[in-house]
């Protein structure tokens, strides 16, 4: 997957979730509880 850094999306993510994309590297992804959110069609 090609990842492209978008500073405007990063700003929006900080405002919406309080987390910068730069800080995501510090998350412990192997210990995170994740699940597929299929409650709605999010159009993604």
């Amino acid at each position: 997957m090609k990842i492209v850094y978008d500073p405007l999306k990063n700003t929006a993510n900080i405002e919406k979730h309080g987390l910068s994309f730069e800080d995501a590297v510090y998350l412990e992804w192997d210990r995170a509880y994740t699940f597929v959110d299929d409650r709605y069609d999010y159009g993604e």
Side-chain angles (χ1 to χ4, degrees):
M1 172 185 351
K2 181 179 180 182
I3 299 174
V4 178
Y5 182 79
D6 184 333
L8 294 177
K9 285 186 179 180
N10 187 49
T11 300
N13 197 65
I14 294 169
E15 291 173 1
K16 185 175 182 182
H17 303 291
L19 182 66
S20 169
F21 292 144
E22 289 96 349
D23 294 334
V25 298
Y26 301 112
L27 295 174
E28 296 182 24
W29 292 105
D30 57 332
R31 300 183 72 195
Y33 175 73
T34 61
F35 62 95
V36 176
D37 183 358
D38 57 3
R39 296 173 294 172
Y40 307 101
D41 180 7
Y42 295 101
E44 295 179 342

